[in-house]
DNA sequence: AAATCCTCCAACCGCCACCGG
DNA sequence: GCCGGTGGCGGTTGGAGGATT
């Protein structure tokens, strides 16, 4: 079908956002919300395509964004969630309040991937995990059951598992349990606070 | 001090799913 | 059921800044 281009190339600005553009976008969303991203830049007087505005808002300007370095706990969470969910960054981000899929994706590619690949190779020798943050004993705390539920849901949602999904499940089976209590506690404790921040979605 | 290489991350691109007419 | 518009997602890129030579 004759798909409309994501944005008209003519006259629309690309590249890094200026402070002024940020201010305009924030002010407009605070005042009107974002019922329609395509119309938003026109209404706000921004020379950007709607997609660009949405991305800027979601990844950078949202008030509930948690900026700054990822904590060790968050990194472990990402690694673990990636084992279960694969490259479903938005799903992973949903479990890390205040973090965006883009940010998580970046962290994964720049830091965590390097850490995980060697670990996977080491996984053949079980003893290697005994002294790291990885713990062989299963965690029975409630928060982790949420994660287990997520996995179950994921598998259920993909009854017709493709090769990729099978690989995910497989790799999870082969991956030693993380002692989640140390990060899930903090994470879920946090999420209750964040929930209120999410409570009033602008649109 | 200059040149080169490397890392990181904001932003773009293309595709897909969903929804309403 | 089809079509077009829109939102959302994941992969990729480009450039800035830091590290190294």
């Amino acid at each position: 079908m004759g798909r409309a281009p994501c944005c008209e190339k003519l006259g629309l600005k690309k590249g890094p956002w200026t402070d002024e553009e940020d201010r305009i976008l924030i002010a407009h969303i605070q005042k009107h919300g974002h019922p329609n991203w395509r119309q938003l830049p026109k209404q706000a007087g921004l020379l950007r395509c709607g997609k660009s505005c949405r991305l800027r808002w979601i990844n950078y300007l949202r008030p509930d964004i948690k900026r700054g370095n990822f904590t060790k706990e968050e990194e472990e969470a990402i690694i673990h969630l990636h084992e279960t969910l694969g490259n479903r960054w938005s799903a992973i981000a949903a479990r890390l309040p205040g973090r965006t899929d883009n940010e998580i994706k970046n962290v994964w590619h720049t830091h965590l991937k390097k850490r995980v690949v060697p670990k996977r190779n080491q996984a053949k020798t079980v003893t290697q995990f005994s002294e790291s943050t990885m713990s062989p004993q299963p965690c029975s705390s409630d928060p982790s059951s949420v994660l287990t539920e997520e996995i179950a849901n994921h598998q259920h949602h993909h009854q017709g598992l493709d090769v990729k999904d099978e690989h995910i499940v497989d790799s999870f089976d082969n991956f030693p349990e993380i002692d989640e209590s140390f990060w899930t506690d903090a994470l879920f404790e946090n999420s209750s606070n964040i929930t209120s921040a999410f409570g009033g979605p602008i649109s």
Side-chain angles (χ1 to χ4, degrees):
Chain A
M1 69 185 75
R3 191 185 169 75
C6 109
C7 55
E8 310 88 304
K9 306 289 178 188
L10 286 175
L12 290 184
K13 197 179 164 194
K14 286 170 67 175
W17 281 65
T18 64
D19 291 342
E20 180 63 15
E21 287 175 315
D22 283 347
R23 273 196 297 274
I24 293 171
L25 182 58
I26 291 168
H28 188 270
I29 289 176
Q30 282 175 346
K31 194 171 180 183
H32 302 101
H34 47 77
N36 187 323
W37 284 112
R38 299 231 175 181
Q39 298 302 320
L40 188 146
K42 290 174 195 164
Q43 293 165 354
L46 287 165
L47 292 173
R48 296 277 183 173
C49 74
K51 228 173 188 180
S52 183
C53 293
R54 177 186 161 272
L55 212 63
R56 182 65 179 170
W57 174 255
I58 296 288
N59 289 332
Y60 205 84
L61 300 177
R62 253 176 13 183
D64 50 318
I65 292 287
K66 194 198 291 180
R67 310 295 309 171
N69 294 337
F70 278 64
T71 64
K72 191 174 185 307
E73 288 78 12
E74 286 174 318
E75 289 183 353
E76 293 297 338
I78 292 167
I79 291 168
H80 190 78
L81 288 165
H82 185 267
E83 281 297 321
T84 66
L85 301 172
N87 290 359
R88 295 168 66 211
W89 306 116
S90 59
I92 295 172
R95 305 241 164 245
L96 291 169
R99 300 299 190 180
T100 69
D101 55 351
N102 204 37
E103 205 176 7
I104 290 168
K105 188 165 56 182
N106 282 334
V107 169
W108 171 260
H109 282 124
T110 55
H111 295 109
L112 305 181
K113 191 165 68 175
K114 296 168 195 165
R115 275 166 49 183
V116 168
V117 171
K119 278 185 180 178
R120 274 189 175 164
N121 292 339
Q122 290 171 13
K124 293 179 174 105
T125 54
V126 179
T127 54
Q128 305 248 350
F129 287 91
S130 56
E131 84 285 3
S132 70
T133 54
M134 305 305 212
S135 166
Q137 71 258 35
C139 175
S140 59
S141 62
D142 281 334
S144 69
S145 68
V146 174
L147 200 58
T148 311
E149 196 176 50
E150 168 71 23
I151 298 162
N153 286 340
H154 176 61
Q155 290 178 0
H156 181 257
H157 273 62
H158 294 267
Q159 279 298 314
L161 284 177
D162 58 22
V163 175
K164 191 178 161 195
D165 280 331
E166 279 179 349
H167 174 72
I168 291 164
V169 173
D170 221 314
S171 62
F172 177 62
D173 287 341
N174 292 334
F175 201 75
E177 280 285 346
I178 294 174
D179 185 355
E180 292 164 326
S181 57
F182 79 92
W183 60 263
T184 49
D185 286 350
L187 195 60
F188 283 86
E189 200 178 287
N190 236 349
S191 66
S192 61
N193 296 334
I194 303 290
T195 305
S196 60
F198 274 102
I202 294 217
S203 68

